[in-house]
Amino acid sequence: MSDIRIKNLNKSFGNYHAVRNLNIELQDGHLLALLGPSGCGKSTTLQLLAGFETVTSGEIWTGDTLLSHADGVIPPEKRGISLVFQNYAVWPHMTVAENIAFGLKLRKLSRADVETGTRRALDTVRLGHLADRYPSELSGGQQQRVALARALAVQPKILLLDEPLSNLDAALREEMRFEIRRVHDELGITTVYVTHDQSEALVTADRIAVMKMGELQQFASPEEVFDTP
Ligand code: ADP
Ligand code: ADP
């Protein structure tokens, strides 16, 4: 099971409470959008899920595994989590295929398994025809697909996306949000998607957590969030 259960989660930086008493339960295979204005605590919540930050109090669980609590964390690399950030972070000196293969090679898979895994991830994001190109030869949207493919190649239990489309122009943002929904429907990986864009959340998410000043304001389906009069 790769559900996510966030219980009474708090995160302070000095006197500043970035996340306040957050409670969220996300079912296995669902896509949660963390939605809210800049500074409301979305990225901090994602960092806590990734294990990049320690929690001040509260707990984060997946299945029967306690990922984070005040006295300790399971390190990021042992969480079965992949991340995609807004600034793609694809390596310019590697081809598309080499970028995607990198994480698989780190896992010391056989050459055949690296090739199969790379091919599968390329096909998922429909970039097979660009395998041997370098990132500088690709559009922003294509580069972000490479970043997504690299994250997917290692077959994570949980996918974390932090404003993955915010560096793209409006037309590409529109296209890529449907792409993310399609990939999610195809693979069913439990996903947390940070965005400040309501229409992105509406298209991509099964559940939306609306945050304001570190607190959860609303947790509901997209229909419920946007149909409220
Ligand atoms: P969002 O992702 O919703 O824009 P963040 O989670 O990045 O919000 O930030 C929430 C608040 O916590 C902001 O006021 C930010 O300045 C503060 N914050 C985030 N990270 C740190 C940090 N490492 N040290 C101090 N304050 C931080
Ligand atoms: P369960 O509650 O048993 O998990 P759901 O019907 O909630 O079943 O979800 C099953 C699958 O359907 C999930 O993988 C999810 O990605 C997808 N899904 C759920 N809600 C929506 C939605 N509003 N739009 C598109 N796909 C959805």
Side-chain angles (χ1 to χ4, degrees):
M1 276 295 282
S2 308
D3 62 333
I4 297 173
R5 301 189 311 286
I6 297 174
K7 296 183 179 178
N8 301 321
L9 187 67
N10 287 280
K11 177 63 181 177
S12 302
F13 299 104
N15 293 331
Y16 188 79
H17 296 262
V19 174
R20 299 163 182 256
N21 200 32
L22 193 63
N23 285 283
I24 291 176
E25 293 200 5
L26 184 68
Q27 288 177 38
D28 188 25
H30 278 198
L31 190 152
L32 170 71
L34 290 178
L35 178 67
S38 180
C40 72
K42 307 183 294 296
S43 290
T44 301
T45 303
L46 209 72
Q47 302 278 316
L48 295 170
L49 285 170
F52 293 158
E53 291 278 3
T54 56
V55 312
T56 302
S57 65
E59 295 175 348
I60 303 173
W61 291 80
T62 182
D64 53 13
T65 306
L66 179 55
L67 291 174
S68 299
H69 59 120
D71 300 321
V73 291
I74 292 182
E77 69 277 11
K78 297 206 171 135
R79 292 184 174 217
I81 277 172
S82 278
L83 289 107
V84 177
F85 301 100
Q86 57 179 301
N87 55 353
Y88 328 137
V90 292
W91 292 296
H93 59 291
M94 293 184 194
T95 65
V96 167
E98 286 165 356
N99 262 283
I100 294 166
F102 188 80
L104 296 170
K105 287 182 183 161
L106 279 185
R107 273 151 220 243
K108 300 191 168 42
L109 298 186
S110 72
R111 195 179 158 150
D113 286 347
V114 170
E115 273 173 22
T116 309
T118 302
R119 175 56 53 184
R120 195 190 301 123
L122 273 168
D123 289 344
T124 300
V125 300
R126 299 177 174 165
L127 280 184
H129 59 299
L130 298 177
D132 297 324
R133 301 287 187 88
Y134 284 89
S136 60
E137 302 174 89
L138 307 183
S139 71
Q142 289 169 337
Q143 291 187 43
Q144 195 52 299
R145 279 171 209 245
V146 176
L148 183 59
R150 190 177 54 193
L152 295 172
V154 297
Q155 298 186 277
K157 295 201 194 90
I158 295 172
L159 183 64
L160 303 179
L161 308 174
D162 196 352
E163 300 268 8
L165 308 185
S166 58
N167 279 349
L168 304 178
D169 66 39
L172 263 178
R173 275 207 301 276
E174 184 113 343
E175 182 189 323
M176 285 297 292
R177 64 178 68 144
F178 288 103
E179 181 74 4
I180 285 171
R181 181 71 232 177
R182 181 186 64 75
V183 168
H184 182 254
D185 285 343
E186 199 171 305
L187 302 180
I189 300 173
T190 307
T191 302
V192 180
Y193 186 116
V194 164
T195 181
H196 60 269
D197 184 323
Q198 295 194 353
S199 51
E200 243 172 69
L202 180 60
V203 167
T204 55
D206 304 312
R207 293 289 180 275
I208 298 181
V210 182
M211 293 182 71
K212 188 178 178 187
M213 295 174 71
E215 289 185 349
L216 185 64
Q217 274 210 314
Q218 196 179 6
F219 180 77
S221 69
E223 295 77 12
E224 288 164 325
V225 170
F226 293 108
D227 288 353
T228 33

